[in-house]
Amino acid sequence: MVAAVRVHKPGGPEVLTYENIEIGAPGQGQIRIKHHASGVNYIDTYFRSGLYPAPSMPFVSGNEGAGEVTAVGPGVGDFKVGDRVGYVAALGGYAEERLLPAERAVKLPKTIAYEQAAGMMLKGMTAEYLLRRTFKVQKGQTVLIHAAAGGVGLILGQWANHLGATVIGTAGSKDKAELAKASGYHHVILYRDEDFVARVKDITKGELCEVVYDGVGKDTFPASLDCIKPLGMFVSFGSSSGPIEAFNINILQTKGSLFATRPTLNTYNAKRDALVKSANALFKVVASGAVKIPVNQKYPLREAQSAHRDLESRKTTGSTILVP
Ligand SMILES: NC(=O)c1ccc[n+]([C@@H]2O[C@H](COP(=O)([O-])OP(=O)(O)OC[C@H]3O[C@@H](n4cnc5c(N)ncnc54)[C@H](OP(=O)(O)O)[C@@H]3O)[C@@H](O)[C@H]2O)c1
């Protein structure tokens, strides 16, 4: 038996239940991992609340982790007992140990610590595909990133800066704005107090941004579209304030023939080759020192409820992890 945090019915943080479960030996193509740390992500709250339907009930919460391989199932050639690995995979992360399809794991370089890996596999590979594949950010461009001091936000800001962009962020408090400014953002707007569209116009002298990365959703739409240059791109990658409601696509015409996309990491890294390239790009930019992974909250696994409460009440900055 191993300790795990399961959800038996959708609901608030109180449905996260710390209990013992049986996980067994790895099957065909699987490895067994002993977690050293598990990542906490906003998507975990969507599965917990029922916004995203869970494939089965009960389920073990969590979509990201890092640890060592303790057993290898039949047909697994790339991993052996003792390997240090990190992964992103739907559900099963909030547990002392888990089974995982080997094709979803990547070996961690020696330079990447377990807790750092648990704080960056999901958020960092998301930053990788958003900045390098959804919209290829180029030197000299201007980007707007909402929730700049959040987990994905702090990585996006540093990486966009590294790519040579002028990086504008929004944040919910002065402390968060200071943190974002120390993490690659050239300008940070306090979007709970200030009109962020007016501030973007002011900062860019009316030129606006090539791309807006919006993980906030409901509260920043459709205003985000007014921050984008003609033919620019609106990237809606999350909904921490709630989902964007259905809208008339003609708005993209009236705002300047804009492009809009709603991407997910799962699609971008569905193939193993893409996953490995994405992870390697992340490891490289972290090893270079250009992107640092701020693991600013660490809770014992049994306190997953507190981790979710803090994340949803906007108390956290950077990455949050659980440790067994
Ligand atoms: N599509 C993908 O592939 C993908 C992958 C990873 C993450 N995501 C999305 O990226 C976003 C960020 O994820 P994360 O795990 O790094 O979370 P996070 O940014 O650390 O936390 C969410 C932040 O959203 C902001 N926010 C604005 N309105 C809010 C509200 N009403 N309630 C709660 N928070 C609000 C808060 O920052 P302020 O106080 O500064 O406003 C809060 O700290 C999420 O929407 C997530 O679903 C998408």
Side-chain angles (χ1 to χ4, degrees):
M1 301 284 269
V2 301
V5 177
R6 287 205 292 185
V7 172
H8 292 259
K9 61 172 188 329
E14 70 284 353
V15 303
L16 294 169
T17 310
Y18 185 75
E19 57 197 3
N20 285 323
I21 60 166
E22 199 71 66
I23 55 168
Q28 182 74 28
Q30 289 184 323
I31 52 177
R32 182 166 165 148
I33 298 172
K34 184 176 178 344
H35 282 131
H36 285 244
S38 305
V40 175
N41 291 282
Y42 223 89
I43 191 174
D44 306 349
T45 71
Y46 305 150
F47 278 112
R48 189 211 68 220
S49 69
L51 178 67
Y52 287 3
S56 63
M57 281 285 179
F59 66 86
V60 176
S61 187
N63 299 279
E64 176 183 36
E68 59 189 279
V69 176
T70 56
V72 170
V76 175
D78 293 347
F79 296 94
K80 60 181 189 322
V81 171
D83 279 348
R84 302 170 71 251
V85 295
Y87 69 85
V88 175
L91 305 179
Y94 294 3
E96 284 174 332
E97 297 188 44
R98 72 165 298 162
L99 300 177
L100 183 81
E103 61 162 24
R104 292 287 95 198
V106 291
K107 284 184 195 164
L108 295 176
K110 285 193 187 74
T111 48
I112 306 287
Y114 285 124
E115 294 191 0
Q116 191 184 22
M120 76 180 203
M121 295 303 294
L122 196 152
K123 299 168 188 76
M125 290 197 290
T126 297
E128 184 282 318
Y129 86 77
L130 289 174
L131 296 170
R132 294 169 20 119
R133 289 186 276 164
T134 305
F135 182 93
K136 290 183 188 171
V137 172
Q138 311 284 329
K139 193 172 171 25
Q141 292 182 329
T142 304
V143 307
L144 173 66
I145 300 168
H146 288 302
V152 179
L154 282 185
I155 299 175
L156 274 176
Q158 295 175 81
W159 205 329
N161 181 310
H162 178 60
L163 291 171
T166 296
V167 193
I168 306 174
T170 58
S173 72
K174 282 188 180 150
D175 287 349
K176 287 184 178 187
E178 286 308 313
L179 180 62
K181 273 195 196 147
S183 308
Y185 285 85
H186 298 99
H187 309 272
V188 183
I189 302 165
L190 292 171
Y191 61 173
R192 294 173 91 169
D193 308 324
E194 300 177 289
D195 174 348
F196 72 83
V197 175
R199 290 278 289 115
V200 166
K201 282 184 182 155
D202 185 37
I203 290 165
T204 63
K205 300 189 172 46
E207 291 288 314
L208 306 180
C209 306
E210 272 80 8
V211 57
V212 173
Y213 292 107
D214 189 342
V216 171
K218 192 174 181 189
D219 287 357
T220 43
F221 188 83
S224 286
L225 302 181
D226 291 322
C227 300
I228 306 172
K229 286 183 183 184
L231 305 181
M233 185 173 288
F234 174 61
V235 182
S236 169
F237 69 99
S239 35
S240 57
S241 67
I244 294 174
E245 283 165 18
F247 64 92
N248 184 338
I249 197 165
N250 289 335
I251 194 173
L252 300 177
Q253 174 203 350
T254 55
K255 300 288 181 187
S257 303
L258 303 181
F259 295 81
T261 181
R262 193 358 181 144
T264 82
L265 177 62
N266 287 344
T267 322
Y268 276 83
N269 281 0
K271 297 211 168 105
R272 171 120 193 116
D273 184 45
L275 166 68
V276 171
K277 279 192 185 141
S278 182
N280 285 342
L282 173 63
F283 295 149
K284 194 172 161 197
V285 81
V286 170
S288 78
V291 172
K292 296 188 173 53
I293 307 298
V295 177
N296 292 348
Q297 296 76 216
K298 180 162 132 182
Y299 305 79
L301 180 60
R302 65 173 67 240
E303 289 174 23
Q305 290 188 3
S306 303
H308 276 218
R309 278 196 192 97
D310 290 349
L311 185 62
E312 289 177 290
S313 57
R314 306 169 85 155
K315 283 190 188 147
T316 64
T317 59
S319 299
T320 299
I321 61 165
L322 302 173
V323 287

Short mmCIF file of all heavy atoms in Angstrom, two decimals, residues 120-171:
data_model
loop_
_atom_site.label_atom_id
_atom_site.label_comp_id
_atom_site.label_asym_id
_atom_site.label_seq_id
_atom_site.Cartn_x
_atom_site.Cartn_y
_atom_site.Cartn_z
N MET A 120 8.57 22.02 -12.72
CA MET A 120 8.75 22.59 -14.06
C MET A 120 8.35 21.72 -15.24
O MET A 120 8.24 22.23 -16.36
CB MET A 120 10.21 23.00 -14.26
CG MET A 120 11.14 21.84 -14.52
SD MET A 120 12.80 22.53 -14.73
CE MET A 120 13.55 21.23 -15.67
N MET A 121 8.14 20.43 -15.06
CA MET A 121 7.89 19.59 -16.24
C MET A 121 6.64 20.08 -16.98
O MET A 121 6.66 20.31 -18.18
CB MET A 121 7.73 18.12 -15.86
CG MET A 121 8.99 17.47 -15.29
SD MET A 121 10.43 17.55 -16.38
CE MET A 121 9.92 16.51 -17.73
N LEU A 122 5.54 20.25 -16.26
CA LEU A 122 4.29 20.66 -16.92
C LEU A 122 4.33 22.15 -17.32
O LEU A 122 4.06 22.52 -18.46
CB LEU A 122 3.10 20.35 -16.01
CG LEU A 122 1.73 20.36 -16.70
CD1 LEU A 122 0.76 19.42 -15.97
CD2 LEU A 122 1.12 21.73 -16.77
N LYS A 123 4.71 22.99 -16.35
CA LYS A 123 4.69 24.43 -16.62
C LYS A 123 5.77 24.83 -17.63
O LYS A 123 5.55 25.68 -18.49
CB LYS A 123 4.88 25.20 -15.32
CG LYS A 123 3.78 24.92 -14.30
CD LYS A 123 4.18 25.48 -12.93
CE LYS A 123 3.22 25.06 -11.84
NZ LYS A 123 3.40 23.66 -11.41
N GLY A 124 6.93 24.21 -17.51
CA GLY A 124 8.06 24.57 -18.39
C GLY A 124 7.86 24.09 -19.82
O GLY A 124 8.19 24.80 -20.78
N MET A 125 7.33 22.86 -19.98
CA MET A 125 7.09 22.40 -21.36
C MET A 125 5.92 23.17 -21.97
O MET A 125 5.85 23.35 -23.18
CB MET A 125 6.87 20.88 -21.39
CG MET A 125 8.16 20.11 -21.10
SD MET A 125 8.13 18.38 -21.57
CE MET A 125 6.98 17.70 -20.39
N THR A 126 5.01 23.64 -21.13
CA THR A 126 3.94 24.51 -21.63
C THR A 126 4.55 25.82 -22.16
O THR A 126 4.23 26.26 -23.26
CB THR A 126 2.93 24.80 -20.51
OG1 THR A 126 2.33 23.57 -20.12
CG2 THR A 126 1.86 25.78 -20.97
N ALA A 127 5.44 26.41 -21.38
CA ALA A 127 6.11 27.63 -21.85
C ALA A 127 6.87 27.36 -23.15
O ALA A 127 6.84 28.17 -24.08
CB ALA A 127 7.06 28.15 -20.77
N GLU A 128 7.51 26.19 -23.21
CA GLU A 128 8.28 25.83 -24.43
C GLU A 128 7.39 25.84 -25.66
O GLU A 128 7.69 26.50 -26.66
CB GLU A 128 8.93 24.46 -24.23
CG GLU A 128 9.84 24.02 -25.37
CD GLU A 128 9.10 23.47 -26.59
OE1 GLU A 128 8.13 22.70 -26.44
OE2 GLU A 128 9.48 23.84 -27.72
N TYR A 129 6.25 25.13 -25.61
CA TYR A 129 5.46 25.05 -26.85
C TYR A 129 4.74 26.37 -27.14
O TYR A 129 4.58 26.76 -28.30
CB TYR A 129 4.49 23.84 -26.84
CG TYR A 129 3.15 24.07 -26.19
CD1 TYR A 129 2.13 24.76 -26.85
CD2 TYR A 129 2.86 23.58 -24.92
CE1 TYR A 129 0.89 24.96 -26.26
CE2 TYR A 129 1.62 23.77 -24.32
CZ TYR A 129 0.64 24.47 -25.00
OH TYR A 129 -0.59 24.67 -24.41
N LEU A 130 4.32 27.09 -26.08
CA LEU A 130 3.62 28.36 -26.32
C LEU A 130 4.52 29.39 -27.00
O LEU A 130 4.10 30.07 -27.93
CB LEU A 130 3.10 28.94 -25.00
CG LEU A 130 1.93 28.22 -24.33
CD1 LEU A 130 1.63 28.83 -22.96
CD2 LEU A 130 0.67 28.25 -25.20
N LEU A 131 5.79 29.47 -26.55
CA LEU A 131 6.69 30.49 -27.07
C LEU A 131 7.42 30.08 -28.34
O LEU A 131 7.85 30.94 -29.12
CB LEU A 131 7.77 30.83 -26.02
CG LEU A 131 7.28 31.45 -24.71
CD1 LEU A 131 8.42 31.47 -23.69
CD2 LEU A 131 6.76 32.85 -24.95
N ARG A 132 7.58 28.76 -28.53
CA ARG A 132 8.40 28.31 -29.68
C ARG A 132 7.60 27.63 -30.78
O ARG A 132 8.09 27.44 -31.87
CB ARG A 132 9.49 27.35 -29.19
CG ARG A 132 10.51 28.03 -28.28
CD ARG A 132 11.44 27.06 -27.57
NE ARG A 132 11.55 25.77 -28.15
CZ ARG A 132 12.68 25.22 -28.62
NH1 ARG A 132 13.80 25.92 -28.59
NH2 ARG A 132 12.69 24.00 -29.10
N ARG A 133 6.34 27.23 -30.45
CA ARG A 133 5.57 26.51 -31.47
C ARG A 133 4.19 27.12 -31.74
O ARG A 133 3.81 27.26 -32.89
CB ARG A 133 5.45 25.03 -31.06
CG ARG A 133 6.79 24.30 -31.18
CD ARG A 133 6.64 22.82 -30.92
NE ARG A 133 6.68 22.46 -29.52
CZ ARG A 133 6.27 21.30 -29.03
NH1 ARG A 133 5.77 20.39 -29.84
NH2 ARG A 133 6.39 21.04 -27.73
N THR A 134 3.43 27.48 -30.70
CA THR A 134 2.11 28.07 -30.95
C THR A 134 2.28 29.41 -31.67
O THR A 134 1.63 29.68 -32.68
CB THR A 134 1.36 28.30 -29.62
OG1 THR A 134 1.31 27.06 -28.92
CG2 THR A 134 -0.05 28.81 -29.86
N PHE A 135 3.13 30.23 -31.12
CA PHE A 135 3.53 31.49 -31.77
C PHE A 135 5.04 31.58 -31.56
O PHE A 135 5.49 31.51 -30.42
CB PHE A 135 2.82 32.69 -31.13
CG PHE A 135 3.17 33.99 -31.80
CD1 PHE A 135 2.38 34.49 -32.83
CD2 PHE A 135 4.30 34.71 -31.42
CE1 PHE A 135 2.72 35.69 -33.47
CE2 PHE A 135 4.64 35.90 -32.06
CZ PHE A 135 3.84 36.38 -33.09
N LYS A 136 5.79 31.71 -32.65
CA LYS A 136 7.25 31.72 -32.51
C LYS A 136 7.71 33.13 -32.15
O LYS A 136 7.83 33.99 -33.04
CB LYS A 136 7.91 31.26 -33.80
CG LYS A 136 7.69 29.77 -34.04
CD LYS A 136 8.42 29.30 -35.28
CE LYS A 136 7.98 27.87 -35.54
NZ LYS A 136 8.40 27.31 -36.78
N VAL A 137 7.96 33.33 -30.88
CA VAL A 137 8.36 34.68 -30.43
C VAL A 137 9.76 35.01 -30.94
O VAL A 137 10.69 34.21 -30.81
CB VAL A 137 8.30 34.76 -28.89
CG1 VAL A 137 8.89 36.08 -28.40
CG2 VAL A 137 6.86 34.61 -28.41
N GLN A 138 9.85 36.19 -31.56
CA GLN A 138 11.13 36.64 -32.15
C GLN A 138 11.65 37.87 -31.41
O GLN A 138 10.86 38.63 -30.85
CB GLN A 138 10.92 37.05 -33.61
CG GLN A 138 10.16 36.08 -34.48
CD GLN A 138 10.99 34.89 -34.88
OE1 GLN A 138 12.21 35.00 -35.03
NE2 GLN A 138 10.34 33.75 -35.05
N LYS A 139 12.95 38.04 -31.51
CA LYS A 139 13.62 39.22 -30.96
C LYS A 139 12.92 40.48 -31.47
O LYS A 139 12.57 40.57 -32.65
CB LYS A 139 15.07 39.20 -31.46
CG LYS A 139 16.00 40.16 -30.78
CD LYS A 139 17.42 39.84 -31.29
CE LYS A 139 18.47 40.76 -30.93
NZ LYS A 139 18.72 41.59 -30.02
N GLY A 140 12.69 41.42 -30.58
CA GLY A 140 12.10 42.69 -31.00
C GLY A 140 10.58 42.73 -30.94
O GLY A 140 9.99 43.81 -31.06
N GLN A 141 9.95 41.57 -30.76
CA GLN A 141 8.48 41.57 -30.66
C GLN A 141 8.05 41.93 -29.23
O GLN A 141 8.85 41.89 -28.30
CB GLN A 141 7.93 40.19 -31.04
CG GLN A 141 8.13 39.88 -32.53
CD GLN A 141 7.55 38.54 -32.92
OE1 GLN A 141 7.51 37.61 -32.12
NE2 GLN A 141 7.12 38.43 -34.17
N THR A 142 6.76 42.26 -29.10
CA THR A 142 6.21 42.57 -27.78
C THR A 142 5.13 41.56 -27.44
O THR A 142 4.24 41.30 -28.27
CB THR A 142 5.62 44.01 -27.77
OG1 THR A 142 6.65 44.92 -28.17
CG2 THR A 142 5.14 44.39 -26.38
N VAL A 143 5.22 40.99 -26.25
CA VAL A 143 4.23 39.98 -25.84
C VAL A 143 3.57 40.42 -24.53
O VAL A 143 4.19 41.08 -23.70
CB VAL A 143 4.89 38.58 -25.66
CG1 VAL A 143 5.67 38.18 -26.89
CG2 VAL A 143 5.79 38.52 -24.43
N LEU A 144 2.29 40.04 -24.40
CA LEU A 144 1.58 40.27 -23.13
C LEU A 144 1.26 38.91 -22.52
O LEU A 144 0.73 38.03 -23.21
CB LEU A 144 0.28 41.04 -23.38
CG LEU A 144 -0.63 41.19 -22.15
CD1 LEU A 144 0.01 42.06 -21.06
CD2 LEU A 144 -1.99 41.80 -22.56
N ILE A 145 1.59 38.77 -21.23
CA ILE A 145 1.36 37.50 -20.53
C ILE A 145 0.55 37.79 -19.27
O ILE A 145 1.00 38.56 -18.40
CB ILE A 145 2.71 36.83 -20.16
CG1 ILE A 145 3.52 36.55 -21.43
CG2 ILE A 145 2.47 35.57 -19.34
CD1 ILE A 145 4.98 36.16 -21.18
N HIS A 146 -0.64 37.20 -19.18
CA HIS A 146 -1.45 37.41 -17.98
C HIS A 146 -0.99 36.50 -16.84
O HIS A 146 -0.43 35.43 -17.07
CB HIS A 146 -2.92 37.15 -18.28
CG HIS A 146 -3.55 38.22 -19.12
ND1 HIS A 146 -3.58 39.55 -18.73
CD2 HIS A 146 -4.17 38.18 -20.33
CE1 HIS A 146 -4.19 40.26 -19.66
NE2 HIS A 146 -4.56 39.46 -20.64
N ALA A 147 -1.30 36.91 -15.59
CA ALA A 147 -0.90 36.17 -14.39
C ALA A 147 0.61 35.90 -14.42
O ALA A 147 1.08 34.77 -14.30
CB ALA A 147 -1.69 34.86 -14.25
N ALA A 148 1.37 37.00 -14.57
CA ALA A 148 2.81 36.93 -14.76
C ALA A 148 3.56 36.25 -13.61
O ALA A 148 4.61 35.64 -13.82
CB ALA A 148 3.36 38.34 -14.96
N ALA A 149 3.05 36.35 -12.40
CA ALA A 149 3.78 35.80 -11.24
C ALA A 149 3.36 34.37 -10.91
O ALA A 149 3.84 33.78 -9.94
CB ALA A 149 3.57 36.69 -10.02
N GLY A 150 2.48 33.79 -11.74
CA GLY A 150 2.04 32.41 -11.49
C GLY A 150 3.09 31.40 -11.92
O GLY A 150 4.20 31.75 -12.33
N GLY A 151 2.72 30.14 -11.81
CA GLY A 151 3.65 29.05 -12.13
C GLY A 151 4.10 29.11 -13.58
O GLY A 151 5.31 29.21 -13.87
N VAL A 152 3.17 29.07 -14.51
CA VAL A 152 3.54 29.18 -15.93
C VAL A 152 4.05 30.59 -16.21
O VAL A 152 5.03 30.77 -16.94
CB VAL A 152 2.32 28.85 -16.84
CG1 VAL A 152 2.70 29.00 -18.30
CG2 VAL A 152 1.80 27.43 -16.57
N GLY A 153 3.43 31.59 -15.59
CA GLY A 153 3.76 32.99 -15.88
C GLY A 153 5.22 33.34 -15.62
O GLY A 153 5.84 34.02 -16.45
N LEU A 154 5.78 32.88 -14.52
CA LEU A 154 7.18 33.24 -14.22
C LEU A 154 8.14 32.58 -15.20
O LEU A 154 9.18 33.15 -15.55
CB LEU A 154 7.54 32.86 -12.78
CG LEU A 154 7.04 33.80 -11.68
CD1 LEU A 154 7.57 33.37 -10.31
CD2 LEU A 154 7.41 35.26 -11.93
N ILE A 155 7.80 31.39 -15.66
CA ILE A 155 8.68 30.72 -16.63
C ILE A 155 8.54 31.38 -18.01
O ILE A 155 9.52 31.67 -18.69
CB ILE A 155 8.36 29.20 -16.69
CG1 ILE A 155 8.59 28.56 -15.32
CG2 ILE A 155 9.20 28.51 -17.76
CD1 ILE A 155 8.21 27.09 -15.21
N LEU A 156 7.28 31.67 -18.40
CA LEU A 156 7.04 32.33 -19.69
C LEU A 156 7.79 33.66 -19.78
O LEU A 156 8.40 33.97 -20.81
CB LEU A 156 5.55 32.62 -19.85
CG LEU A 156 4.64 31.54 -20.44
CD1 LEU A 156 3.19 32.02 -20.41
CD2 LEU A 156 5.05 31.17 -21.86
N GLY A 157 7.73 34.45 -18.73
CA GLY A 157 8.35 35.78 -18.75
C GLY A 157 9.86 35.71 -18.94
O GLY A 157 10.43 36.43 -19.77
N GLN A 158 10.50 34.80 -18.19
CA GLN A 158 11.95 34.67 -18.31
C GLN A 158 12.35 34.19 -19.69
O GLN A 158 13.31 34.66 -20.30
CB GLN A 158 12.47 33.67 -17.27
CG GLN A 158 12.28 34.11 -15.83
CD GLN A 158 12.72 32.99 -14.88
OE1 GLN A 158 13.89 32.82 -14.60
NE2 GLN A 158 11.76 32.21 -14.39
N TRP A 159 11.57 33.21 -20.19
CA TRP A 159 11.92 32.60 -21.49
C TRP A 159 11.67 33.59 -22.62
O TRP A 159 12.48 33.72 -23.56
CB TRP A 159 11.13 31.31 -21.68
CG TRP A 159 11.77 30.31 -22.60
CD1 TRP A 159 12.58 30.58 -23.69
CD2 TRP A 159 11.67 28.89 -22.54
NE1 TRP A 159 12.96 29.41 -24.29
CE2 TRP A 159 12.43 28.35 -23.61
CE3 TRP A 159 11.00 28.00 -21.69
CZ2 TRP A 159 12.52 26.97 -23.85
CZ3 TRP A 159 11.11 26.64 -21.93
CH2 TRP A 159 11.87 26.12 -22.98
N ALA A 160 10.56 34.34 -22.57
CA ALA A 160 10.26 35.33 -23.62
C ALA A 160 11.35 36.41 -23.62
O ALA A 160 11.79 36.86 -24.69
CB ALA A 160 8.88 35.94 -23.38
N ASN A 161 11.79 36.81 -22.45
CA ASN A 161 12.87 37.78 -22.34
C ASN A 161 14.14 37.22 -22.98
O ASN A 161 14.82 37.89 -23.76
CB ASN A 161 13.08 38.10 -20.85
CG ASN A 161 14.18 39.11 -20.62
OD1 ASN A 161 15.27 38.96 -21.14
ND2 ASN A 161 13.90 40.12 -19.81
N HIS A 162 14.43 35.95 -22.68
CA HIS A 162 15.61 35.28 -23.24
C HIS A 162 15.55 35.25 -24.77
O HIS A 162 16.58 35.32 -25.44
CB HIS A 162 15.65 33.86 -22.66
CG HIS A 162 16.77 33.01 -23.16
ND1 HIS A 162 18.10 33.34 -23.01
CD2 HIS A 162 16.76 31.82 -23.83
CE1 HIS A 162 18.85 32.40 -23.57
NE2 HIS A 162 18.06 31.47 -24.07
N LEU A 163 14.34 35.16 -25.32
CA LEU A 163 14.18 35.13 -26.78
C LEU A 163 14.29 36.53 -27.39
O LEU A 163 14.24 36.70 -28.60
CB LEU A 163 12.81 34.52 -27.14
CG LEU A 163 12.65 33.02 -26.86
CD1 LEU A 163 11.19 32.60 -27.05
CD2 LEU A 163 13.56 32.18 -27.75
N GLY A 164 14.40 37.53 -26.54
CA GLY A 164 14.63 38.89 -27.04
C GLY A 164 13.39 39.74 -27.17
O GLY A 164 13.43 40.82 -27.79
N ALA A 165 12.27 39.28 -26.60
CA ALA A 165 11.03 40.05 -26.69
C ALA A 165 10.97 41.12 -25.60
O ALA A 165 11.63 41.01 -24.57
CB ALA A 165 9.83 39.11 -26.55
N THR A 166 10.14 42.13 -25.85
CA THR A 166 9.73 43.04 -24.78
C THR A 166 8.56 42.37 -24.09
O THR A 166 7.57 42.03 -24.75
CB THR A 166 9.32 44.41 -25.34
OG1 THR A 166 10.46 44.99 -25.96
CG2 THR A 166 8.80 45.33 -24.24
N VAL A 167 8.66 42.16 -22.78
CA VAL A 167 7.67 41.33 -22.09
C VAL A 167 6.84 42.17 -21.13
O VAL A 167 7.37 42.77 -20.19
CB VAL A 167 8.37 40.18 -21.31
CG1 VAL A 167 7.34 39.15 -20.87
CG2 VAL A 167 9.45 39.52 -22.14
N ILE A 168 5.54 42.19 -21.41
CA ILE A 168 4.60 42.90 -20.54
C ILE A 168 3.79 41.85 -19.80
O ILE A 168 3.34 40.86 -20.40
CB ILE A 168 3.63 43.79 -21.35
CG1 ILE A 168 4.42 44.74 -22.27
CG2 ILE A 168 2.72 44.58 -20.42
CD1 ILE A 168 3.54 45.57 -23.22
N GLY A 169 3.60 42.03 -18.49
CA GLY A 169 2.81 41.08 -17.72
C GLY A 169 1.70 41.77 -16.96
O GLY A 169 1.70 42.99 -16.82
N THR A 170 0.75 40.97 -16.49
CA THR A 170 -0.25 41.48 -15.55
C THR A 170 -0.13 40.67 -14.27
O THR A 170 0.26 39.50 -14.29
CB THR A 170 -1.69 41.34 -16.10
OG1 THR A 170 -1.94 39.95 -16.37
CG2 THR A 170 -1.90 42.15 -17.35
N ALA A 171 -0.46 41.31 -13.13
CA ALA A 171 -0.37 40.60 -11.86
C ALA A 171 -1.41 41.16 -10.90
O ALA A 171 -1.83 42.32 -11.03
CB ALA A 171 1.03 40.75 -11.27
#
